[in-house]
Amino acid sequence: MLVLGIESSCDETGVALYDTDAGLVAHHLHTQMAMHAEYGGVVPELASRDHIRRVVPLTEACLAEAGKSLADLDAIAYTEGPGLGGALLVGASYANALAFGLGIPVISVHHLEGHLLSPLLAEPHPAFPFVALLVSGGHTQLMAVRGVGDYEVLGETLDDAAGEAFDKTAKLLGLPYPGGPLLSKLAEQGDPNRFTLPRPMLKSDNLEMSFSGLKTAVLTLVKQVQAESGELDDATRNDICRAFQEAIVDVLVQKSLKALKLTGMKQLVVAGGVGANKQLRAALDAAAAKRGFAVFYPPLALCTDNGAMIAYAGAQRLKFAREAGGFGVKPRWDLASLPKA
């Protein structure tokens, strides 16, 4: 079965082809990062209009790369939610219209399920069950994953997601949008011993997390430095970036270890955009080597939103495919409501 996957939940248009026998055969992605940078954040209306411009050319590029035509498609999967309503409607309407024209079924996919299953596209990949650390700009959760659709939330952030905290802290430090990846890059040049920031809820007896207070601690530190020296030079900024990143990584690693102990599982999967963070990967790899568990990541190209994860998740849910038409979107959608595959 050849499944076309379409992702349009926010500011990236992703299209991919997944073959249930051959695996991922093509994927293309367009990011709107440069367009939204002028405004300092995602503008929903502009995001929707750009998805309209990109989705057809990206589909054609995928088909050309795989040497396939529209007639070879067996089903189309698309992100139904959660996400920006207008952006979701672009993918949903395109997928349903194309499927209706071709006379093939469509599969609505939960965006977070796509992220959770994306490490299964890598080699080596985990087998069920495993603990998943889903860490992105919009979500930070620890989940027990026992199968497709069998998800249990073990803990999550009570306020800002980790990626959101990265972006907000970057803005405090005067870094351009999107600041999170740049903050991580500057942290590599920082002195890990100059500043120490709090690790919120690190010692709590549960798996909940909180990152908004860490952002406030950075603001306090910046004001203190400016009061003492009158300016925030590049070296000091890099050192603050390092202290901030180390605090985030420490919390994520310790909570992941606690989740593994709680569940008795021996596999940890990391998914979402922050999963590309070098320091987080290094810390988890070191913990895995010391404590005897396995850790898996999606390919770096598939850490952010992409069509490949939607095509793969759709392929796992082929039995839930339906006829095209009568579609809708779910800007808010509880992952726990999904049926088991």
Side-chain angles (χ1 to χ4, degrees):
M1 299 284 282
L2 184 63
V3 180
L4 175 70
I6 299 167
E7 156 62 24
S8 68
S9 64
C10 189
D11 59 347
E12 274 133 354
T13 314
V15 179
L17 287 169
Y18 182 83
D19 188 295
T20 53
D21 288 331
L24 184 65
V25 293
H27 72 97
H28 285 258
L29 181 72
H30 174 78
T31 178
Q32 303 172 2
M33 192 178 298
M35 179 178 70
H36 295 297
E38 181 179 352
Y39 304 95
V42 176
V43 182
E45 176 66 17
L46 295 181
S48 303
R49 291 177 179 271
D50 199 61
H51 287 309
I52 294 171
R53 286 192 291 267
R54 307 292 178 179
V55 67
V56 173
L58 289 175
T59 301
E60 293 171 344
C62 278
L63 291 169
E65 179 184 338
K68 302 290 185 179
S69 69
L70 290 174
D72 294 313
L73 297 178
D74 295 298
I76 300 177
Y78 69 95
T79 304
E80 187 177 15
L84 301 175
L88 291 167
L89 278 170
V90 176
S93 57
Y94 176 67
N96 278 271
L98 185 57
F100 182 81
L102 295 172
I104 59 177
V106 291
I107 311 148
S108 59
V109 173
H110 194 293
H111 180 77
L112 297 187
E113 181 169 65
H115 275 304
L116 281 178
L117 300 180
S118 63
L120 299 176
L121 287 165
E123 289 297 341
H125 60 263
F128 298 116
F130 53 78
V131 169
L133 171 63
L134 178 58
V135 56
S136 68
H139 301 85
T140 299
Q141 296 176 312
L142 280 161
M143 308 190 75
V145 179
R146 298 180 176 87
V148 177
D150 190 354
Y151 312 127
E152 177 190 359
V153 176
L154 302 172
E156 58 190 336
T157 179
L158 300 177
D159 38 60
D160 291 352
E164 183 182 6
F166 266 94
D167 288 338
K168 288 182 177 179
T169 300
K171 190 172 184 178
L172 286 177
L173 295 172
L175 301 178
Y177 172 88
L182 180 55
L183 186 156
S184 295
K185 187 175 182 179
L186 295 177
E188 296 175 14
Q189 307 169 36
D191 180 357
N193 300 311
R194 183 176 176 186
F195 299 116
T196 300
L197 290 171
R199 274 67 169 157
M201 300 187 72
L202 184 67
K203 302 297 184 181
S204 67
D205 58 1
N206 54 39
L207 295 174
E208 307 301 325
M209 293 164 273
S210 172
F211 297 114
S212 64
L214 182 56
K215 176 193 63 182
T216 303
V218 171
L219 178 61
T220 301
L221 178 58
V222 168
K223 289 181 177 179
Q224 177 185 331
V225 169
Q226 291 174 331
E228 293 173 354
S229 62
E231 62 177 356
L232 189 68
D233 59 52
D234 289 347
T236 301
R237 181 197 59 196
N238 296 348
D239 295 342
I240 293 174
C241 288
R242 181 60 179 265
F244 170 82
Q245 181 166 271
E246 291 210 342
I248 291 269
V249 168
D250 278 357
V251 171
L252 293 176
V253 170
Q254 292 304 314
K255 293 291 183 174
S256 296
L257 294 178
K258 187 174 291 187
L260 288 168
K261 183 177 181 181
L262 176 69
T263 60
M265 295 180 185
K266 298 295 184 182
Q267 298 179 109
L268 176 69
V269 159
V270 183
V274 182
N277 184 279
K278 292 180 180 179
Q279 187 174 340
L280 176 61
R281 288 192 175 213
L284 287 173
D285 287 343
K290 180 179 180 181
R291 297 173 180 261
F293 64 90
V295 60
F296 300 88
Y297 312 93
L300 283 173
L302 303 183
C303 283
T304 56
D305 297 349
N306 61 85
M309 68 184 193
I310 302 305
Y312 179 78
Q316 306 312 302
R317 289 188 168 275
L318 282 169
K319 71 178 182 180
F320 293 103
R322 55 175 173 76
E323 291 185 6
F327 67 91
V329 296
K330 297 176 181 175
R332 295 183 181 274
W333 190 3
D334 185 3
L335 188 65
S337 67
L338 295 181
K340 294 181 181 179

